[in-house]
Amino acid sequence: AGVRHGFSTRKGGVSKGIYESMNLSFHRGDEFENVMQNHRLFADAVGYDYRDTVFSDQIHSTKIARVTVEDKGRGMMGEKGIPEMDGLVTDVPGIPLMTFYADCVPLLFYDPVHGVIGAAHAGWRGTVTGMGKCMVDYLCDNMGCKREDILAVIGPSICADCYEVSGDVAEQFFEAFQEKNHGDILLKKENGAFMLDLWKANRLILESSGVKSGHIQSPDICTFHNPGLLISHRYTGGRRGNMAAVIML
């Protein structure tokens, strides 16, 4: 599409043990220099300067920050990224925006007409509160974008066959998607729990926000189904590192 972007796997890094091997989080107990070396390796593979990377500081919100040249490197020395932000946008070339994952949904955005990018983290909380819509609205209201120009990617994350949620979580989705087809995103089990399809939920959100269906891509790769390739919080019981999505103009 004309923009540099990538999504890491657990392969190709130097971390050991439960972090094996491409852990990109400084805040899960891994050795600092191992994480730094992983960032160097990942940046070399994708093609950007790791020293300029700007991190999100995810709290399962729908808050979005506009990143400027003054933000270059925020988070890259082990400190927190931009505080309490689950979404980052910029129109400045050469600034890699990075968000972190281990089952939650990565959302990447690019407007090739206006030269704007965005990266957003959407777990179930971010999905049910409409992070995708918030990002599309932000791009249009603050960055001069038009909905019909926006390209979006729903990245590797946990699939509907693997993501069981409780009835109270399902109820929040019933309320949020009351005007849409619940059967597309929730399947009730005999034990009273539900299987939740975050991929379809996020696609519905993006389409209802004005993003063209043909402008939404998804690799449909499940983190839980691929423990040798990807990192899954549920598969590992929380004993793990983090993968990352990155995008740069």
Side-chain angles (χ1 to χ4, degrees), residues 42 54 96 98 110 117 121 132 137-138 156 158 175 184 194 232:
F42 184 52
V54 176
M98 181 170 282
Y110 175 43
I117 54 172
H121 162 261
D137 289 347
Y138 189 99
I158 195 165
E175 293 177 6
D184 282 346
F194 290 79
S232 167

Side-chain angles (χ1 to χ4, degrees), residues 187-206:
L187 176 64
K188 190 171 185 178
K189 299 181 64 180
E190 293 182 359
N191 64 1
F194 290 79
M195 304 307 293
L196 173 61
D197 193 331
L198 289 174
W199 298 348
K200 286 185 179 178
N202 278 283
R203 178 175 282 274
L204 283 170
I205 290 168
L206 293 172

Side-chain angles (χ1 to χ4, degrees), residues 153-165:
V153 171
I154 300 168
S157 40
I158 195 165
C159 78
D161 292 337
C162 299
Y163 195 37
E164 180 179 308
V165 298

